[in-house]
Amino acid sequence: VVLSLGLGLTLLVALSLIDGNIREQLNRGLPGRTPSFFFMDIQNSQVNEFESFLQGAAPDAKIERVPMMRGRVVRLNGTLASEVKASENAAWVLEGDRGITYSKDLPQGSTLVKGDWWSADYKGPPLVSMEAQVAEGLGLKIGDSVTVNVLGRNITATIANLRGVNWRSLGINFVFVFSPNTFAGAPHSFLATAAFPNGSASERELLILKDIANRFPTITSLRVKDALDAISGAMDQLAFAIRGASGIALISSILVLAGALAAGQRGRIYDAVVLKTLGATRLRLLKAFVIEYALLGLATAIFGLVAGGLAAWFVLIRVMKLESFTWLWGPALGAIGIALIVTIGLGLLGTWRILGQKPAAHLRAL
């Protein structure tokens, strides 16, 4: 019973915990830090006017702005990017253009892992700061060189330090951050974000988007909630398909459970007849069977919870590299409820016929 139904519950619990944790990560926001908007392609001539407008439309919002260019990695330590054997989690950096920036200070949302940050007035050869995990995936370390093509010009910079980046903060983060002197005088646009301290109503956000589109038609505005809703919609479809498959597995396990209970029916008839002969009433036998099936259901639920929780933790932490794992009581209580209902329900269906058996016919067959 534990194996047949428990394996189905294990799959159901694992998928529910994985789905719930991913959704929680997507929807988890830090008021005042998680952006509500991204604004791209802000030209130099628009910066002051745009920020004045945004401060007037959303005076309570925290506005961040960084320079942004597009660059393509062409060489790593003199080796063509197409010949570099990168790990799966870093290969995307070598595919197409990447957003790059420069900064005199360590960007917010980043922590220095190795090396030292350059001074604010640094004027030497070009330096670059890389995200630590990407650098490891590309086989790079401090002192190595990276060549990036920006505006048709190849720029080679030395890796000065490695940063840890919390990509799930949804803030402004870059794999490559160059020293300011690298792009002195180069034309570029700006990327900005706006974060509300206590969140914002959808009507207000949509009104801000409309006003920006009318006044600054060349600026691209992205509402974070819209992006998250699109991701959530795709996850809903994927979760529906996966739960359908897990539902088939659960139904199969219930059928196996029914077969296991049916196989033991003869022994239960014998027990019921002997107990009736000794004076047990139908109600007392019913209570005994309910307790037995409830204990079986509880054992099955515990097995499913432990095995499913461990499987979900392994997938989320070891495979998907999420920062934390949250135990969700909804799937846990649901698994316990399913296990108890199925075992007690199927058990009593078979037991009801057993309780109606007359002892005499079976005693003569002993």
Side-chain angles (χ1 to χ4, degrees):
V1 172
V2 172
L3 288 178
S4 60
L5 182 60
L7 291 176
L9 286 176
T10 297
L11 179 62
L12 192 63
V13 170
L15 292 176
S16 298
L17 289 175
I18 292 171
D19 178 55
N21 274 268
I22 292 176
R23 291 180 185 278
E24 185 181 3
Q25 289 281 341
L26 287 174
N27 297 324
R28 182 186 298 170
L30 298 176
R33 293 178 59 186
T34 301
S36 298
F37 297 103
F38 275 83
F39 304 104
M40 296 172 284
D41 301 323
I42 306 173
Q43 304 303 315
N44 276 297
S45 58
Q46 297 176 304
V47 170
N48 294 332
E49 182 184 0
F50 177 74
E51 286 196 349
S52 297
F53 166 81
L54 199 57
Q55 289 171 355
D60 56 333
K62 179 182 179 181
I63 302 172
E64 293 185 16
R65 172 173 55 88
V66 298
M68 180 177 173
M69 291 167 281
R70 305 294 299 181
R72 179 171 54 87
V73 179
V74 292
R75 290 182 182 273
L76 300 176
N77 280 330
T79 303
L80 290 174
S82 59
E83 299 177 359
V84 174
K85 294 182 179 179
S87 63
E88 292 183 0
N89 65 334
W92 61 274
V93 175
L94 305 179
E95 300 171 357
D97 291 349
R98 298 265 70 81
I100 60 176
T101 188
Y102 62 84
S103 176
K104 64 179 181 179
D105 300 314
L106 181 67
Q108 293 187 9
S110 297
T111 56
L112 206 58
V113 176
K114 290 183 180 179
D116 300 316
W117 196 260
W118 47 77
S119 59
D121 56 350
Y122 177 77
K123 302 297 182 182
L127 298 177
V128 63
S129 172
M130 281 193 66
E131 200 275 335
Q133 292 185 351
V134 171
E136 181 182 357
L138 297 176
L140 298 174
K141 60 184 183 302
I142 294 177
D144 291 344
S145 63
V146 176
T147 302
V148 181
N149 184 279
V150 181
L151 300 175
R153 176 186 173 190
N154 287 344
I155 297 175
T156 300
T158 302
I159 299 176
N161 57 70
L162 302 177
R163 291 170 294 115
V165 177
N166 180 16
W167 299 104
R168 298 182 186 89
S169 68
L170 301 180
I172 300 178
N173 292 306
F174 292 87
V175 173
F176 299 101
V177 178
F178 289 83
S179 55
N181 63 310
T182 305
F183 302 107
H188 59 270
S189 60
F190 288 88
L191 171 69
T193 61
F196 295 96
N198 297 309
S200 178
S202 297
E203 296 79 7
R204 183 189 182 191
E205 293 182 356
L206 294 175
L207 182 61
I208 292 175
L209 285 178
K210 181 180 178 181
D211 291 341
I212 291 176
N214 291 332
R215 188 163 179 177
F216 303 95
T218 60
I219 295 178
T220 302
S221 302
L222 174 63
R223 185 171 173 238
V224 174
K225 187 177 185 303
D226 292 337
L228 294 179
D229 287 344
I231 296 174
S232 180
M235 285 189 59
D236 285 340
Q237 297 178 12
L238 180 62
F240 179 79
I242 294 176
R243 283 172 180 164
S246 65
I248 294 175
L250 187 61
I251 292 173
S252 300
S253 65
I254 291 174
L255 294 177
V256 174
L257 171 62
L261 293 175
Q265 188 177 32
R266 183 176 180 83
R268 295 179 187 280
I269 292 175
Y270 176 82
D271 292 340
V273 167
V274 172
L275 291 173
K276 275 189 173 183
T277 303
L278 296 176
T281 63
R282 178 176 296 189
L283 179 60
R284 177 163 294 184
L285 288 174
L286 183 63
K287 288 180 180 179
F289 284 131
V290 167
I291 293 173
E292 178 183 358
Y293 294 133
L295 290 175
L296 282 173
L298 185 60
T300 303
I302 293 174
F303 175 86
L305 288 176
V306 174
L310 289 175
W313 176 88
F314 180 82
V315 171
L316 291 168
I317 302 299
R318 298 297 185 184
V319 178
M320 303 184 70
K321 306 296 183 183
L322 294 189
E323 295 178 350
S324 61
F325 172 77
T326 303
W327 181 263
L328 305 175
W329 281 106
L333 296 177
I336 293 176
I338 290 174
L340 291 176
I341 291 173
V342 170
T343 52
I344 294 176
L346 288 178
L348 291 183
L349 283 176
T351 301
W352 193 255
R353 178 174 172 272
I354 295 173
L355 295 178
Q357 297 291 321
K358 300 297 183 181
H362 294 281
L363 289 175
R364 284 195 295 267
L366 293 178

